Amino acid sequence: MFKIYEFMPVLILSTVFVDENFFVPHCEAGMLTMASRGRNTYGSCFYLLFNHLYCLDRFCVVFGKVIKGMDIVKRIELLGTPGGKPTLEVKIEECGEIKDFVDIKNNVKEMSKKNPWVFLDLSMNGSSAETIVIELYADVVPKTAENFRALCTGENGVSVTGTPLNYKGVKFHRIIKGFGAQVCLSHSNSYYTCKFCSSYESSNLNFTEAGMLYMASHGPKNTIGCRFCITFKPLPYLNGRCVVFGKVIKGMEIVQKMDQFGTSEGTPSGLVQITNCGELQEDEKNNVMQFYSIKPPKLIHLNN
């Protein structure tokens, strides 16, 4: 178990050995440093830094640095609090020595596979459907990701008005050229009421590239439901304003085709429709992995 402080290191407690040296400075995020309760009290207590901490120089021994997986470190930081009590459990499930770079690459892929993957089959102006695959960041925004996953599978049936709680057959009603495409289930309720409290999940994922998915609200705070957008380019001015919950990991060329149906006012110049959608199973994920390089998301911590 960890103590996790905002902009401070992760902490693990245990036994003791003597000091070594203080040559390496605490100069950047991802540094590993030994923690003590005073001189010659090092043991298994270590910090994983979220930022440079020069104040620890000459007091703590830097002994390593994260060379792969800084996106995971950033995700851990999102669970930190000023008092150090994590908002969710962070646990080391496995550890050991990595023999070569192939092991590192495979570990990144396995971590990505733990999140749900969904697919959308898109038809444009009646053409044959083409598939995009989306990773949902359930490890960062579990409620928003689950809401979207269930709307792809249709497992919640119909709304109180009788509308299917499923994106199958739905059209992209708004496509802004050079910005993004938007979909909404008309007169339906997702996550059981079509609106759920967005304040429960913070917008700490960054709009760094095209293909990001985010939830769009109905205006007032905490009105996120079934309306989502796929971005056509980086949108940094939306950081902290909208909840990013996933990313297109297969089919970005299809997203680029959608952009061609966009207009400046948002009225699509053609029909873009979701003909089918659902969740990928493990064997289907493995097939996608063979042909596509899956990159973890870039995260930022936002100061309010």
Side-chain angles (χ1 to χ4, degrees):
M1 291 294 294
F2 294 90
K3 285 186 177 180
I4 305 177
Y5 300 90
E6 291 180 326
F7 302 104
M8 287 293 290
V10 172
L11 177 63
I12 295 180
L13 305 174
S14 183
T15 56
V16 180
F17 65 91
V18 298
D19 299 347
E20 192 166 8
N21 65 63
F22 308 108
F23 295 156
V24 181
H26 299 75
C27 58
E28 58 184 308
M31 307 292 283
L32 282 83
T33 182
M34 297 305 297
S36 70
R37 297 183 181 86
R39 186 174 178 81
N40 298 328
T41 58
Y42 289 126
S44 58
C45 177
F46 74 90
Y47 288 118
L48 174 57
L49 303 188
F50 297 144
N51 204 345
H52 61 77
L53 287 175
Y54 294 112
C55 59
L56 296 182
D57 291 351
R58 301 184 306 279
F59 296 101
C60 299
V61 177
V62 174
F63 65 92
K65 176 185 174 183
V66 175
I67 58 173
K68 188 72 176 179
M70 276 305 297
D71 58 293
I72 309 301
V73 176
K74 288 294 185 182
R75 293 188 188 193
I76 295 174
E77 183 183 5
L78 298 179
L79 304 177
T81 62
K85 184 177 180 180
T87 56
L88 292 174
E89 181 182 76
V90 180
K91 184 179 180 180
I92 301 174
E93 292 187 351
E94 292 185 22
C95 55
E97 184 178 3
I98 294 178
K99 303 300 182 182
D100 53 44
F101 185 76
V102 173
D103 292 338
I104 298 176
K105 184 177 180 181
N106 289 338
N107 286 341
V108 172
K109 287 187 175 182
E110 287 302 316
M111 293 191 67
S112 181
K113 283 171 61 180
K114 291 181 181 179
N115 278 329
W117 291 13
V118 297
F119 70 90
L120 303 177
D121 288 343
L122 303 181
S123 173
M124 303 181 193
N125 278 344
S127 64
S128 299
E130 299 178 275
T131 302
I132 64 173
V133 176
I134 299 160
E135 179 185 356
L136 304 179
Y137 298 143
D139 53 344
V140 179
V141 282
K143 190 173 183 180
T144 309
E146 172 58 20
N147 180 64
F148 188 82
R149 186 199 66 78
L151 287 168
C152 287
T153 65
E155 62 194 58
N156 289 329
V158 299
S159 71
V160 293
T161 62
T163 303
L165 291 172
N166 193 338
Y167 287 123
K168 184 176 180 179
V170 175
K171 304 171 185 176
F172 281 84
H173 67 279
R174 193 174 187 216
I175 305 177
I176 302 176
K177 191 170 183 63
F179 180 88
Q182 186 175 114
V183 159
C184 183
L185 299 180
S186 300
H187 310 296
S188 69
N189 48 356
S190 65
Y191 212 83
Y192 312 112
T193 62
C194 193
K195 301 173 185 178
F196 63 91
C197 186
S198 61
S199 63
Y200 290 161
E201 295 186 304
S202 59
S203 308
N204 290 306
L205 288 158
N206 202 0
F207 287 84
T208 55
E209 55 191 304
M212 307 296 286
L213 277 79
Y214 73 91
M215 298 307 297
S217 69
H218 295 271
K221 187 176 181 181
N222 301 333
T223 57
I224 289 176
C226 55
R227 185 181 300 183
F228 77 92
C229 296
I230 302 177
T231 64
F232 296 149
K233 67 176 183 180
L235 300 172
Y237 51 88
L238 292 183
N239 293 341
R241 298 180 180 180
C242 300
V243 178
V244 175
F245 64 91
K247 177 188 172 185
V248 174
I249 57 176
K250 172 185 177 292
M252 275 304 299
E253 70 281 2
I254 302 168
V255 175
Q256 292 167 356
K257 289 182 184 180
M258 292 173 62
D259 192 11
Q260 301 306 309
F261 287 84
T263 61
S264 57
E265 68 275 9
T267 302
S269 61
L271 175 65
V272 180
Q273 186 175 25
I274 301 173
T275 60
N276 197 16
C277 52
E279 182 176 6
L280 270 65
Q281 303 305 311
E282 289 304 312
D283 57 337
E284 295 170 310
K285 287 185 178 182
N286 290 331
N287 290 336
V288 174
M289 282 288 190
Q290 292 178 9
F291 300 102
Y292 290 85
S293 176
I294 309 303
K295 298 180 181 180
K298 297 178 181 179
L299 291 87
I300 57 169
H301 192 100
L302 297 170
N303 288 323
N304 294 325

